[in-house]
Each structure stands twice: as structure tokens, then as C-alpha cells.
Amino acid sequence: MTKHIWMMSDRPDDDGDPSLLVQTRPKTKRPPLYKVLLLNDDYTPMEFVVHVLERFFGMTHAEAFEIMLTVHKKGVAVVGVFSHEIAETKVGQVMDFARRHQHPLQCTMEREE
């Protein structure tokens, strides 16, 4: 019984071109992300803003309180970063909820750089 040891370039079906062993995949570009922002106003109660952050962004009370203070002091705060569809949905939910409760709270989105 004879044993054959084939080297890569000695295999009968190998044409000796090592590039056949390398496979390249095209790089897929990640979809852009969008920041959801809450804007300060002089009329929406702070407690309502905290409630919105807990309800729609899953924040703890402490996290929501900190973000609410940022909105109050700086005029705006990023409350989350999402895909376009999710950001758009969150903005719509917050705006509808604020309108139903007769608050002028503004929520917007912008593309993350």
C-alpha cells in the first residue's frame, strides 16, 4: 500500500494559483444612526419629561431625572441613538403623547455624524 502526500501545489486539480484560496467580501456600509433630541420649553412640567424618558426610552427614574436636568439647563439633550425607523417612531410617540397631554414638548431627530 502506497501513501501519497500532496503538497498544495502538487495536487492534480491545483493550477498553482494561490489567489483561488482567497475570498474577498464586499464591505457592507452600516446604515446611519440618528440622535433623538428633547428640546426645552418653559411650559412642560419637569415630571412629565421624566415620565416620557422612562416610558419611551426605558430609562430609570435617576437616568431620566439627569437627562431632564440637562434639557432644562442646556436647552437640549440627546435621549438616544437609533436607526432611522426607530428614531422616527420614538419622535412620533413622544410628540403624540405630549400633544394628548397638552404639553408643547418638542422632540426631534438628526443624523449622527
Side-chain angles (χ1 to χ4, degrees):
M1 182 181 215
T2 313
K3 288 186 182 177
H4 292 284
I5 299 175
W6 297 97
M7 303 278 290
M8 283 293 275
S9 59
D10 292 339
R11 286 192 329 217
D13 61 337
D14 187 5
D15 66 0
D17 185 358
S19 66
L20 294 177
L21 303 175
V22 178
Q23 199 175 40
T24 58
R25 290 184 179 168
K27 287 189 178 183
T28 54
K29 198 172 181 184
R30 289 186 172 207
L33 294 176
Y34 290 80
K35 298 183 282 192
V36 174
L37 308 151
L38 272 187
L39 308 175
N40 189 45
D41 65 74
D42 294 330
Y43 304 101
T44 304
M46 292 179 178
E47 300 81 29
F48 184 79
V49 175
V50 170
H51 180 69
V52 162
L53 294 169
E54 292 170 344
R55 179 173 179 162
F56 297 106
F57 298 94
M59 294 183 188
T60 65
H61 186 76
E63 291 168 332
F65 191 82
E66 285 298 314
I67 297 289
M68 176 276 297
L69 285 178
T70 301
V71 172
H72 182 69
K73 290 176 185 172
K74 295 189 176 181
V76 65
V78 175
V79 297
V81 179
F82 308 96
S83 69
H84 185 271
E85 293 76 19
I86 293 173
E88 201 170 50
T89 299
K90 298 241 183 228
V91 168
Q93 289 173 330
V94 170
M95 295 297 289
D96 289 345
F97 191 70
R99 256 194 309 273
R100 282 200 314 274
H101 289 85
Q102 299 177 347
H103 294 301
L105 181 65
Q106 293 294 302
C107 185
T108 62
M109 61 188 264
E110 65 181 40
R111 190 173 173 155
E112 188 176 51
E113 297 303 318

